[in-house]
Amino acid sequence: MSKTIIISNRLPLQLQIRDNIIETTPSVGGLATGMKSVHSDNESIWIGWSGLTEEELNPDLKNKVTSALEKHQCVGVPLTEKDIEGFYYGFSNNTLWPLFHYFMEYTEFEKSTWETYKSVNQKFADVIIHNLEDGDTVWVHDYQLLLLPDLIRKKRPEISIGFFLHIPFPSYEVFRTIPCREELLKGMLGADLLGFHTYDYERHFLSAVQRILGYEINFNNIHLDTRIVKVDSFPMGIDYKKFNDAAQVHDLKAKKDKTEIQQEIDKHLKAGSNQAKLILSIDRLDYTKGIANRLRAFEYFLDKYPQFKGKARLVMLAVPSRANVPQYQRLKNEIDQLVGRINGKFAEVSWTPIWYFYRSLPFENLIDLYTSSEVALLTPIRDGMNLVAKEYVASRVDKKGVLILSEMTGASNEMSEALIINPNNFEEIADTLKFALEMPEEEQIKRNNALQKRLQRYNVEKWANDFMESLRATKDDTKKYTLKKITPSVKNEISKKYDSAKNKILFLDYDGTMAPFEKLPENAKPTQRVFDILDELHQQSNTKVIIITGRDRDTIQKWFGHKEYTLITEHGAWLKEKNKDWELMERVDNTWFGSIAPILESFTDRTPGSLVEEKRYSLAWHFRNVDPDLGKQRANALKTTIQQLIANHNLEILEGDKVLEIKVSGVSKGKSASKMLLDKQYDFIFAIGDDWTDEHMFKELPKDAYTVKVGLKNTIARYYVKDIDQVYDLLEAFK
Ligand code: GDG
């Protein structure tokens, strides 16, 4: 039976060795809970590192770990201390983490850690391949495993692979600075579906792919030679019920059942006689979380609004993280000093402004804090999502409480009813804190009502299911293409048909079909191989070879004039038959050039890299060498301008591959191809082309014609081949 394989750096379990016995406890993190619905019954396994290095395990313990993991449907990836050093602390946390969070000054690039990152990704791939069966679905998580999708794809091209990034994907301008940028993108593109928390991260990723790899992007699909990769945003939710239920139970607890922390909090709140207010913050101690900023802003708030002294208290839980990394140690010192200084500055006998916990707390204490705090103040400088914001709102059973949230978090995109702040603007934070502490209850309830509804609906289970559903749909789309692929047996069938046919006609597009695109159109000259193929076909009896192209007559005359093939140029305006002169296939004129050409030229002046091509009966504006976003934008603007001008004329705009062409309407490859069929009864009709001007031809030709698209794009052609080499292979089979 097919299964789902979840892969993350760490397994969702904590292992401990006590007296040579392995103890396991489930992890409480967002990912572990989130994947619960996917990682259920016998239909899934989870692959990752157990948390114990190879050096910590003797053969006996290794076996024990394996069977302990097996009980939870988990499989370990064996990693050494050196692996963890280079892969986890090194490349993942010293390079990717700061870079992806826009901390370029903290980003180190070391060749040795990059090498370890690659080899550890390979180790993960090896374990996966070993456990992979036909029909399985693979879901890879996060920045530690960016190369993994492609490593799996290389070994098992047919497998369905999803990838989700839990941290931001930075803007192209930041991402481009990393030396191994191409390898990272290609690694990710091994997946069928790539998920991000927000549309912005998705947009940044697409832009990096387009600019760095130069791949074709169609809305949110990336066209590779044999596959389509879909990119989409799936904002991760939380286990809403778990937090809401726990908060309800919490509120009903008798005093004696309350936790120690809760009793302390109650004491403080009571002493403040209704005026005491708690402001909560919870995060891992990480420089991305804006903890120092928050403390300084809180100090500024107490200075600016002294009426809150003795009343408002910041309860700050900072969970230790990567504590042996110097950067994190420095951050810890900075926070310790700031807390000490601010507490020293404002403390009164019965009140200290900051309660600071530097540790991890059990879940029930988390609920104590969520339910007792009037305000949650979350100020990350950059954060992929921020689940704490969602958990705070979900725990507010009475619907009171105010969330202040940094606009730099992924969560702020969905939580517009929260008070959204810029974490670098202390003035704004101070004013918002005051506003939050004084917010009327009805307004708090109104805002939380809306937030809770959304969190309840788009919970983590829905997130996981949506992702899996979308992965299935993406794979189905790709399968549609696979059905049209020219396999060796289809190729065989077509060439057999060719052999036995009496009269054969071949329509061959030129650019993108017989020759690759070049930066300058005049450089795409036919090679000897192209001539060899065409000559071979042309010499066969009863075979008519036609080059059918949008190119101008003069260039085609220069390149093919000495040959005897039939030539059709400018999308069907001109025809040249063997031993004859060029003749017009359609009555066309070019008297309109004078009004359109200056507009194209003005666009060219303003768009670096673009150029105007003047053919006899059409004008083309090429933007292949323009910055991709600018090119698209200018092409749209140009199209709108021209459309208005030509509204009452017999002209039309043709959109080719990175080219807009204005020509007399009614002239098309489809029309001219049909005309060529009139003089004889052909029993083998073949047409091949790569862009959508060729679709006209595919459409007009009879149903039993062999129509072939080059590249994986939407098409009405019956078949496709992946690239120009395959075009040559196919034509060489016609003998
Ligand atoms: C990454 C991205 C993205 C925290 N302290 C305690 C504790 N927690 C739990 C919280 C929450 C989780 O840890 C923290 O989640 P975040 O989303 O805030 O942040 P990261 O760990 O940095 O996670 C982040 C996330 O991935 C998911 O995609 O949102 O942007 O950086 O669930 O409740 N839990 C317990 N005790 C604690 O002391 N029990």
Side-chain angles (χ1 to χ4, degrees), residues 46-114:
W46 195 314
I47 294 178
W49 182 49
S50 67
L52 298 171
T53 59
E54 288 302 278
E55 288 82 351
E56 287 171 272
L57 300 170
N58 57 35
D60 172 45
L61 276 174
K62 230 183 240 181
N63 287 337
K64 285 181 179 161
V65 167
T66 307
S67 50
L69 294 180
E70 241 168 40
K71 282 193 196 119
H72 297 269
Q73 295 157 236
C74 288
V75 177
V77 178
L79 297 182
T80 63
E81 267 167 27
K82 201 163 156 263
D83 286 338
I84 293 300
E85 197 50 45
F87 153 75
Y88 180 71
Y89 289 109
F91 196 76
S92 299
N93 290 338
N94 273 346
T95 308
L96 294 176
W97 177 268
L99 184 76
F100 280 37
H101 287 87
Y102 295 77
F103 281 79
M104 288 179 73
E105 69 279 23
Y106 289 175
T107 307
E108 290 168 13
F109 185 82
E110 269 181 43
K111 197 154 182 303
S112 66
T113 61
W114 165 233

Side-chain angles (χ1 to χ4, degrees), residues 116-162:
T116 315
Y117 184 83
K118 285 195 277 188
S119 71
V120 170
N121 270 254
Q122 186 60 55
K123 284 188 178 183
F124 271 80
D126 294 342
V127 177
I128 294 157
I129 301 294
H130 184 74
N131 285 277
L132 199 58
E133 290 161 309
D134 288 349
D136 285 355
T137 300
V138 171
W139 188 356
V140 182
H141 289 267
D142 231 0
Y143 65 104
Q144 300 91 351
L145 301 171
L146 297 178
L147 304 176
L148 193 50
D150 192 51
L151 293 174
I152 305 170
R153 174 77 57 207
K154 281 204 178 101
K155 288 269 179 208
R156 298 294 299 264
E158 79 297 350
I159 287 290
S160 181
I161 306 173

Side-chain angles (χ1 to χ4, degrees), residues 166 197 236 284 289 319 360-361 383-387 391:
H166 290 262
H197 280 307
M236 187 173 176
R284 268 186 315 102
K289 303 286 183 181
V319 181
S360 172
L361 292 179
D383 206 342
M385 173 52 74
N386 195 299
L387 299 178
E391 293 167 4

Side-chain angles (χ1 to χ4, degrees), residues 23 55 72 93 135 140 150 161 180 203 313 320 331 404 440 447 450 463 576 663 716:
E23 289 176 1
E55 288 82 351
H72 297 269
N93 290 338
V140 182
D150 192 51
I161 306 173
C180 53
R203 189 165 65 74
R313 171 175 275 156
L331 177 69
I404 303 178
R447 286 171 186 258
W463 167 80
K576 185 181 182 315
K663 63 178 209 21
I716 53 163

Side-chain angles (χ1 to χ4, degrees), residues 9 24 74 94 214 340 351 409 416 495 529 555 557 562 588 633:
N9 170 40
T24 56
C74 288
N94 273 346
W351 175 78
T409 61
S416 53
S495 55
R529 184 171 182 193
T555 306
Q557 169 66 30
H562 61 296
V588 283
Q633 202 188 78

